[in-house]
Amino acid sequence: TGTLNQSAGTLNAPAFQIDGLLSQSAGTLETMRIFGSGSLALTGSARLSSSLTQVANLSLSDNATLDLGAGALISDQSDAATLIPSNIHDNRIISSYAASDPSAVHGIGYAVASDLGLNSLDGVNLSPSSFIASYALLGDANLDGAINSADYAALNKVYAEYFPGDK
């Protein structure tokens, strides 16, 4: 209970539990469990390797909050592709940077690394099943920080896959 601030390096803990506030700018966590009304803020000022946090096991209670800020979360947890989007939709995983964007053009983008064709993100190695949740421009389908023809191609590919008869 209380506050822990870490501005650099790697925070390694076999089991990390918080019921309070933690501010971390980067690192690798084996287990992150935020319970009660705890809050964890990832405090990167831009999506760089210094604002990526990797976590093997993530658990958020109903009143807990994980704030990505302008950073990204990478998880290889087996149920990450279900767990992370549901926590985003339930406002347990948020981006204070996106929420405070006056032009409302940022949000949280998420995808499986293999769907994006990524082996690494900002210098961090990814497995094909790595799940990425990141502060992103709305419409940035491949999470590369820009909206361009590659995003349109990704959208078109998914549309063709799910609606093959439509033109």
Side-chain angles (χ1 to χ4, degrees):
T1 303
T3 300
L4 169 66
N5 293 299
Q6 177 180 338
S7 61
T10 299
L11 177 61
N12 287 312
F16 186 80
Q17 298 186 144
I18 185 164
D19 187 7
L21 173 67
L22 171 97
S23 177
Q24 180 191 337
S25 64
T28 303
L29 299 172
E30 180 62 33
T31 300
M32 179 191 303
R33 179 175 177 240
I34 307 172
F35 58 97
S37 57
S39 177
L40 170 66
L42 308 179
T43 58
S45 60
R47 202 190 77 196
L48 303 168
S49 59
S50 63
S51 62
L52 291 176
T53 297
Q54 293 178 277
V55 62
N57 298 293
L58 175 65
S59 174
L60 301 172
S61 70
D62 287 344
N63 295 318
T65 304
L66 173 60
D67 181 359
L68 298 179
L73 177 72
I74 300 169
S75 179
D76 286 307
Q77 187 170 332
S78 62
D79 63 347
T82 304
L83 175 74
I84 293 175
S86 70
N87 279 300
I88 291 169
H89 294 293
D90 292 340
N91 290 316
R92 286 189 289 271
I93 297 178
I94 63 168
S95 168
S96 56
Y97 277 63
S100 64
D101 178 8
S103 58
V105 297
H106 289 92
I108 298 175
Y110 54 87
V112 176
S114 61
D115 290 345
L116 301 177
L118 293 177
N119 296 318
S120 67
L121 179 65
D122 299 332
V124 175
N125 291 332
L126 303 172
S127 73
S129 63
S130 292
F131 194 85
I132 304 158
S134 177
Y135 170 77
L137 283 165
L138 299 177
D140 182 9
N142 60 3
L143 302 179
D144 67 355
I147 299 173
N148 53 33
S149 61
D151 299 304
Y152 178 75
L155 177 63
N156 199 28
K157 177 183 173 189
V158 171
Y159 188 83
E161 180 179 327
Y162 288 98
F163 305 103
D166 279 356
K167 297 202 182 224

